[in-house]
Amino acid sequence: MRDFALMMIGAALVNNVILARFLGLCSFMGVTTRVDTAAGMGLATTFVITVSSMADWAVQHYLLDAYGLGFLRTVTFILVIASAVQFTEMTIKKVSPKLFQMLGIYLPLITTNCAVLGVALLLVEGKMGFMSSTMFAFASSVGYSLVMIIFAGLRERLALVQVPRLFAGPPIAFIVAGMLAMAFMGFSGIATS
Amino acid sequence: MANSDYKTIVKDGLWDNNGVFSMLLGMCPAMAMTTSATNGFGMGLATAVVMAASSWLVAIFRNRITTEVRIPVYILIVAAMVTVVDLGMNAWMHELYKVLGLFIPLIVSNCLPLARLEAFAAKQPPVSALLDGLFMGLGFTIALTAIGAVREIIGSGTLFADASLLLGPTFKVIEMRLLPADMGVLMMILPPGGFIVTGLLVVVKRLLDLRAGKEIQMTGAHAV
C-alpha cells in the first residue's frame, strides 16, 4: 500500500508528466488560457490516459509479447489511443456540448498528445503489473491536470499584466512555465521513482 | 509560377513559419531532447525524415482518403514511417538511438507532422508536399539544434559534445568546449532551462523579424 502511494505521488508530482518529462506540451501551451477549459481538457485527458493505458497493457501483454510482435508497438498503441479518444469525443459531445465546443480542435488532438502515448510507453519500459500500471497512469494524468489548472490560473493573471511587446504571448508563458518547473523540482525529495 | 511556390515553401519551413518558434508545435521533443546540441540535431533529423516521407505518402493518396477517416489514416501513415526510422536508427545509429530513446516512437504523437499533413499535404501535389515536409522538418532541426546549443553552452560549457560518438567519427571536428567545466549552470540542463531558453529564443526570432521589417506574429498557430 505504502509503495503504491509513494509511486503515485512520484508519478504525479516528482516526475510530473509536463514539467519533468516534457510530455503533452502542445495542450499545455494551447488550452491553458482559461481555467475552465484547462480543467475540461485535464479531465478528458485523464480519462483517455487511464483507459488507453489499461487497453495498451492488455495489448502489450497478450498480443505483442505473446506473439513476438514488439516492432508493431507504436502502430498498435496509437490505434488503441485513437479509438479511446474517439470514444471520449462522442461521450463529451453527448454529455456536455459546451465543453465540446470549448475544447474544439484540441479534443481530437488528444490522440497526438504525447502524454498519452508517452505514459503508455513508460509503462511498457517499466514492466509493471496491471494494477500498478493503471495506478501509475492515473496518477500521471492527475499530475497533468493539476499542472494544467495551475498554469491556466497563472495565465489568466498574466493576461492582465503589462508585458513588453516582444515577450507578449507564448514567450512569457514559457518563462512562467520554467519557473513553475523550478517550483515543482522542490518536490523531488518526497518520493523517488 | 511553380518556382516561386517552392521558394515560399522552403522559406516558410525554415524560418517564417518555423514549427517551433512560430507555430509552437512539436514542443515536447523540442524541450526534452535539447539538453545538448547533438541530441537536438539527431532528434530533428529523425523527425524531418518522418515528416518528408509521410507528407509525400499522404499527398499521393490525398484523393482517396475521405474526410471522415483522415485522422486515423494520417496517424497510421506517420506511425509506419516512425517504425521504419525507429528500427533503422536502432540498427545503424545505435548510440544516438539509446539517447533519444522514448522520443523516437513519440514522433507519432508530435503535433507538427500531423499539423502539416492536415494543413498542407492533404491539399497539395506530392512534390510540394514532400518539399514542405522536408523543409518543415529541417526548420524543426534548426530550432532544436539552436535550443540545444544554448542550453549546452550555458549548462555544461560545451557545444556538440559527443557528436563523434553519436553521429559518427566524421563529426569529431565540431566538438567544442567553450567554457571551463565548472562554469556550467546546471539549471539550463534541467527541465526549467528548456522552458526558459525556448521562451527567450522565440523573443530572439521576433526581434530578428522586427529588424528585417516584418510584422511580428503575436500568436502561435493556435490562438494563445
Side-chain angles (χ1 to χ4, degrees), chain A residues 19 22-26 33 71 74-75 78 106 111-112 114 118 121 155 165-168 170-171 174 177-178 182 185, chain B residues 24 27-28 31-32 75-76 83 102 105-106 108-109 111 114 190-192 195-196 199 202-203 206-207 216 218 222 224:
Chain A
L19 295 176
F22 290 124
L23 296 170
L25 288 179
C26 299
T33 38
F71 64 95
T74 318
V75 182
I78 203 77
Y106 282 93
T111 313
T112 55
C114 4
L121 290 173
R155 277 183 90 173
R165 215 170 91 83
L166 276 173
F167 280 85
F174 276 122
M182 274 189 228
M185 281 172 67
Chain B
L24 298 176
M27 300 310 308
C28 313
M31 292 191 201
I75 289 182
L76 272 186
T83 309
L102 185 66
L106 279 184
V108 181
S109 52
C111 338
L114 202 71
L190 292 173
F195 285 109
I196 293 171
V202 175
V203 174
R206 286 180 174 183
L207 219 91
I216 55 171
M218 293 317 285
H222 30 70
V224 178

Side-chain angles (χ1 to χ4, degrees), chain A residues 14-31:
Chain A
V14 182
N15 287 320
N16 185 279
V17 184
I18 296 177
L19 295 176
R21 292 196 202 274
F22 290 124
L23 296 170
L25 288 179
C26 299
S27 57
F28 179 61
M29 283 294 156
V31 284

Side-chain angles (χ1 to χ4, degrees), chain A residues 98-162:
Chain A
K98 195 164 158 266
L99 184 64
F100 180 76
Q101 218 165 33
M102 276 196 305
L103 293 178
I105 177 75
Y106 282 93
L107 202 51
L109 278 185
I110 297 181
T111 313
T112 55
N113 186 333
C114 4
V116 184
L117 185 60
V119 167
L121 290 173
L122 280 173
L123 292 175
V124 173
E125 255 171 38
K127 295 195 171 42
M128 294 185 206
F130 180 72
M131 203 53 207
S132 48
S133 48
T134 309
M135 297 291 237
F136 183 90
F138 179 69
S140 299
S141 46
V142 167
Y144 170 87
S145 312
L146 180 73
V147 170
M148 291 284 279
I149 293 169
I150 293 177
F151 191 59
L154 287 172
R155 277 183 90 173
E156 278 192 353
R157 286 306 189 86
L158 209 57
L160 305 173
V161 182
Q162 287 264 321

Side-chain angles (χ1 to χ4, degrees), chain B residues 40-79:
Chain B
F41 183 71
M43 186 69 221
L45 277 193
T47 314
V49 172
V50 171
M51 284 184 73
S54 50
S55 282
W56 185 65
L57 279 175
V58 165
I60 290 179
F61 294 112
R62 67 185 187 283
N63 295 326
R64 292 175 183 271
I65 302 172
T66 53
T67 37
E68 291 81 17
V69 294
R70 71 185 192 288
I71 304 279
V73 173
Y74 294 165
I75 289 182
L76 272 186
I77 288 176
V78 177

Side-chain angles (χ1 to χ4, degrees), chain B residues 168-185:
Chain B
T170 33
F171 287 90
K172 185 80 189 162
V173 281
I174 57 172
E175 287 182 24
M176 277 176 268
R177 169 161 284 286
L178 301 175
L179 296 169
D182 51 357
M183 289 260 297
V185 182

